Amino acid sequence: MIAYSQTFDPPSPMLEVSVAHIQTRPRVKLPALLDTGADITAIPEFLVKQLNLYQVGRMRVEDVNGFTEIVSAYVARLVIANRVISEHKVLITGLDFVVIGRDLLNQFYFLSNGPEQTFALQKTPFTT
């Protein structure tokens, strides 16, 4: 099990992920918040220029206050929990960490132990 990050109050599940252009090798490792309330994954805005990511369209998004806006979507290669996602549509965020939404979390087995503030994220089912 991985300990929750104490960066947030209350503490939250975070792990390191890699983000890269879909066709080139350079990648950037960043912390990522596992956000079960987020529909879609978002990466820091500075990565768009740094990795020369392709814009693949625009999407209408709604925040927790019901405010909607049209934002650009990009495609990136991600490595999460030793799994390579070769092409994934992401949005940008003003945060300095990646936000992993349910669009990616639903591809994994995710176990959160809130009382002990630990979690596990893996490609295969948990065994008892």
Side-chain angles (χ1 to χ4, degrees):
M1 298 287 277
I2 303 167
Y4 279 16
S5 170
Q6 300 299 311
T7 304
F8 296 96
D9 185 18
S12 300
M14 291 189 82
L15 53 75
E16 185 178 80
V17 300
S18 294
V19 182
H21 188 283
I22 60 172
Q23 296 177 339
T24 59
R25 296 298 300 154
R27 61 182 169 193
V28 177
K29 291 184 178 183
L30 290 171
L33 173 68
L34 305 183
D35 188 348
T36 61
D39 293 337
I40 191 164
T41 297
I43 62 171
E45 187 173 10
F46 70 86
L47 289 179
V48 172
K49 283 187 179 179
Q50 184 175 338
L51 297 172
N52 195 28
L53 299 180
Y54 297 135
Q55 182 176 344
V56 293
R58 296 179 61 77
M59 297 178 67
R60 180 181 305 273
V61 296
E62 182 176 340
D63 68 15
V64 296
N65 297 312
F67 177 76
T68 61
E69 65 178 313
I70 305 292
V71 298
S72 296
Y74 297 85
V75 65
R77 181 168 32 99
L78 302 160
V79 180
I80 302 166
N82 296 318
R83 180 175 180 188
V84 176
I85 295 97
S86 57
E87 290 187 27
H88 192 76
K89 189 185 295 186
V90 296
L91 303 180
I92 57 171
T93 177
L95 302 169
D96 61 354
F97 54 87
V98 175
V99 177
I100 303 296
R102 290 186 315 277
D103 60 327
L104 283 180
L105 286 175
N106 288 344
Q107 298 179 32
F108 293 89
Y109 292 88
F110 176 55
L111 177 64
S112 178
N113 182 334
E116 293 185 20
Q117 297 186 356
T118 60
F119 74 97
L121 186 73
Q122 58 192 48
K123 298 179 279 189
T124 57
F126 295 101
T127 57
T128 55

